[in-house]
Amino acid sequence: MSSPAISTLKMMLAKDLVREMRSKEIFLSSFLFSVILMAAFHFASAANRMPIEYIPTTALWVCILFSGTLGLNRTHASELKNGCFRALMLAPKEAGWIYLAKVTSNALLLGFTLCLLVPILVLFFQFNPGSALFPLLLSLILGILGFVAVGTVIVAVTANTRMSDILFPIIQLPLQVPVLIAGTQATQLCLEGKTPTDWWQFLVAINVVYLSIGFLVYEFLLEE
Amino acid sequence: MSFRVHLEAVSKNFGEVQALHPLTAQLGPGERIALMGHNGAGKTTLLTVIASLSKASTGNVHYLDGDRELKKKPEIRQRLSLLSHQPMLYPDLSILENFLFFSRMYDLGLSKDAILDHLDAVGMSGDPNRLVRACSQGMTQRLAFARAMLHRPELLLLDEPFSGLDIRGIERVQKLLRDFSGTVVMVSHEVDHCHALMDEFWILRRGRLVKKLQRTQYDRAQLEAEFRSELPEEL
């Protein structure tokens, strides 16, 4: 990776994180939404006497899906405010690096939100990964990366359309199916004390495919 | 400075609406062109096509450095700048943070002092730690102009640069434009500004370039008369 590319990544990342630390707009909305989802799962599982060992996986991935969608939408909307996204596109940088920087900051924000959900998982579902912590983290990191790799492209494409709030989830959800299947399978196997090597390989492969496509097409997708 | 732009039968459609009919023109080094026309005449569309933000529906835009055609977007975008209706500044960052960010995006590596000097030209160096969202519309417009000039572009594309500015702001921007040696394409509805600062006037009507006038041949009143004569009756 060339140094201009690294410096673009670092600049964009620092800018996004400073903005989010100051406004807390995306983090707060994603976190509060996730807490509501967790609470809904808690009451629903109690009412239906669902086996508790399957709930953390479901709850985590539902949070990634819905809070992630909400977060991506808000991140991009804040970038469109004041025409800032145009300023980025006008900068003499390869759009692909701007895409990768956006993926990184979106993944960090979503990952941070999930970290703060751990106490709620413990409280509601007696969540205790124990020795599965690191495999679980790897599964979630790979899953989140795949999720935001797709979402960052789709949210940029749908942002300038009418009904973008509706179009974004409708278009992105089918594309997220492989990530969701692999992510949930890997997470559940980790919690059962198994090593989901095949699913990790699948997630790595799909991340490479999604990130490569995003890197190459970002510039063309954003032309008005 | 030898940066030129050649528009070759460039048109732009938005669905069934033809915002810009095929237009062929050249923007040479140091030229100062005012784009004039009624609302919806295609002025802003033309600017965004020249800025490489919007792809022409038909035709081609060629960016030339001497005889060499520039193909890579970063290479082209290093040479030009756009001031649009939006300030293109992050509201949650301070003035200084915004300019440091864009200085790095353009590989300028400007120090804080250099940025303050740059802001001084638009009268905005007094409170660099103020958040952009806490600035008034006029202050934001001054900042937007300073941002557009930050990397010393060879082609400056301006869409209503005097919008929201007070009298001192207008004077400062006018001075900066007079001192600027590159090519300027400016959209403005203010005939006074166009006549005072630009050398050539392109009048657009319903997406067509209908007149090209030279300042040497038209005084201010004649220019306004020409401009008014091309306004559609119903507007």
Side-chain angles (χ1 to χ4, degrees):
Chain A
M1 200 187 288
S2 61
S3 67
I6 293 172
S7 80
T8 307
L9 276 174
K10 277 164 58 180
M11 276 185 299
M12 290 280 301
L13 199 56
K15 182 261 300 170
D16 282 347
L17 295 182
V18 167
R19 287 178 62 213
E20 184 53 28
M21 275 162 54
R22 212 162 270 168
S23 71
K24 297 174 188 68
E25 185 185 357
I26 296 144
F27 161 70
L28 270 181
S29 56
S30 299
F31 178 70
L32 291 176
F33 189 60
S34 297
V35 171
I36 293 167
L37 284 175
M38 291 276 184
F41 263 105
H42 174 66
F43 296 128
S45 63
N48 294 325
R49 295 189 180 82
M50 283 165 69
I52 205 157
E53 63 268 26
Y54 295 117
I55 295 172
T57 301
T58 316
L60 270 172
W61 277 94
V62 168
C63 284
I64 290 174
L65 185 63
F66 289 103
S67 300
T69 301
L70 181 72
L72 284 170
N73 227 342
R74 292 194 77 91
T75 316
H76 198 74
S78 75
E79 198 72 70
L80 290 177
K81 213 185 285 177
N82 271 11
C84 296
F85 199 67
R86 269 187 157 190
L88 287 184
M89 298 317 295
L90 273 176
K93 300 289 179 196
E94 292 290 348
W97 294 113
I98 291 173
Y99 162 73
L100 288 186
K102 297 302 298 176
V103 167
T104 311
S105 59
N106 287 335
L108 282 175
L109 282 175
L110 185 54
F112 182 63
T113 307
L114 286 185
C115 286
L116 293 184
L117 288 177
V118 170
I120 298 164
L121 281 169
V122 173
L123 184 71
F124 284 169
F125 310 115
Q126 290 100 50
F127 175 68
N128 180 17
S131 60
L133 180 65
F134 289 107
L136 181 68
L137 276 178
L138 181 61
S139 303
L140 290 174
I141 288 169
L142 289 173
I144 287 172
L145 196 58
F147 176 82
V148 294
V150 177
T152 304
V153 170
I154 305 300
V155 77
V157 173
T158 55
N160 289 325
T161 59
R162 278 185 300 166
M163 301 192 299
S164 60
D165 288 347
I166 297 168
L167 269 182
F168 171 50
I170 288 176
I171 295 176
Q172 81 142 349
L173 284 177
L175 295 170
Q176 299 286 14
V177 168
V179 176
L180 283 176
I181 292 172
T184 48
Q185 292 289 341
T187 306
Q188 186 57 38
L189 287 172
C190 289
L191 289 175
E192 289 169 6
K194 297 170 188 162
T195 306
T197 314
D198 291 348
W199 290 114
W200 284 343
Q201 286 172 346
F202 181 78
L203 280 169
V204 169
I206 206 158
N207 281 347
V208 169
V209 171
Y210 281 162
L211 288 169
S212 304
I213 292 173
F215 184 87
L216 294 172
V217 303
Y218 205 57
E219 170 84 52
F220 305 104
L221 292 177
L222 299 179
E223 276 183 343
E224 293 167 14
Chain B
M1 289 193 181
S2 54
F3 183 61
R4 289 179 293 125
V5 180
H6 181 214
L7 305 168
E8 182 190 352
V10 165
S11 75
K12 182 73 185 175
N13 299 342
F14 294 105
E16 291 179 2
V17 178
Q18 184 142 24
L20 201 59
H21 289 267
L23 185 154
T24 297
Q26 186 109 302
L27 304 172
E31 286 185 351
R32 291 164 171 269
I33 296 159
L35 292 182
M36 303 170 79
H38 58 88
N39 298 135
K43 307 180 293 292
T44 300
T45 302
L46 180 55
L47 274 196
T48 54
V49 170
I50 297 170
S52 78
L53 275 177
S54 178
K55 191 171 167 52
S57 303
T58 61
N60 291 302
V61 184
H62 302 282
Y63 301 90
L64 305 156
D65 180 13
D67 292 333
R68 185 171 72 95
E69 179 157 6
L70 305 175
K71 293 280 189 189
K72 291 182 178 171
K73 287 270 171 74
E75 207 176 14
I76 294 163
R77 288 171 178 173
Q78 185 74 48
R79 311 291 189 98
L80 57 81
S81 191
L82 171 69
L83 170 68
S84 77
H85 291 294
Q86 294 171 303
M88 299 189 188
L89 293 163
Y90 289 97
D92 297 322
L93 297 184
S94 71
I95 295 170
L96 187 61
E97 286 167 338
N98 265 291
F99 279 78
L100 281 171
F101 173 71
F102 284 110
S103 150
R104 290 180 194 137
M105 284 299 274
Y106 283 87
D107 299 321
L108 303 174
L110 295 180
S111 65
K112 181 184 169 185
D113 287 343
I115 287 172
L116 290 180
D117 279 348
H118 184 72
L119 290 171
D120 199 39
V122 289
M124 287 300 295
S125 59
D127 187 5
N129 295 318
R130 182 194 286 232
L131 294 182
V132 166
R133 68 164 178 242
C135 294
S136 71
Q137 191 196 341
M139 291 161 90
T140 309
Q141 185 70 359
R142 289 180 188 218
L143 293 170
F145 189 82
R147 185 205 53 77
M149 298 283 276
L150 185 67
H151 64 286
R152 300 182 189 284
E154 291 176 58
L155 169 61
L156 191 54
L157 304 164
L158 305 171
D159 199 347
E160 297 287 357
F162 300 101
S163 170
L165 291 181
D166 60 17
I167 186 74
R168 296 298 297 275
I170 291 171
E171 285 168 4
R172 282 180 186 271
V173 169
Q174 281 184 334
K175 180 180 182 317
L176 287 167
L177 277 177
R178 284 197 184 98
D179 294 344
F180 180 71
S181 58
T183 310
V184 184
V185 181
M186 181 176 87
V187 169
S188 179
H189 292 285
E190 298 283 337
V191 178
D192 286 336
H193 293 317
C194 291
H195 195 265
L197 295 164
M198 300 292 123
D199 299 324
E200 199 171 317
F201 315 103
W202 293 6
I203 300 180
L204 284 96
R205 181 187 160 105
R206 297 190 197 286
R208 292 178 202 277
L209 178 59
V210 289
K211 278 178 186 166
K212 276 187 182 184
L213 312 173
Q214 302 291 326
R215 185 170 61 168
T216 49
Q217 295 164 346
Y218 290 85
D219 64 22
R220 191 220 162 280
Q222 288 170 319
L223 177 64
E224 182 164 355
E226 288 289 340
F227 175 48
R228 283 181 178 278
S229 72
E230 294 300 338
L231 294 175
E233 290 292 322
E234 69 276 16
L235 288 178

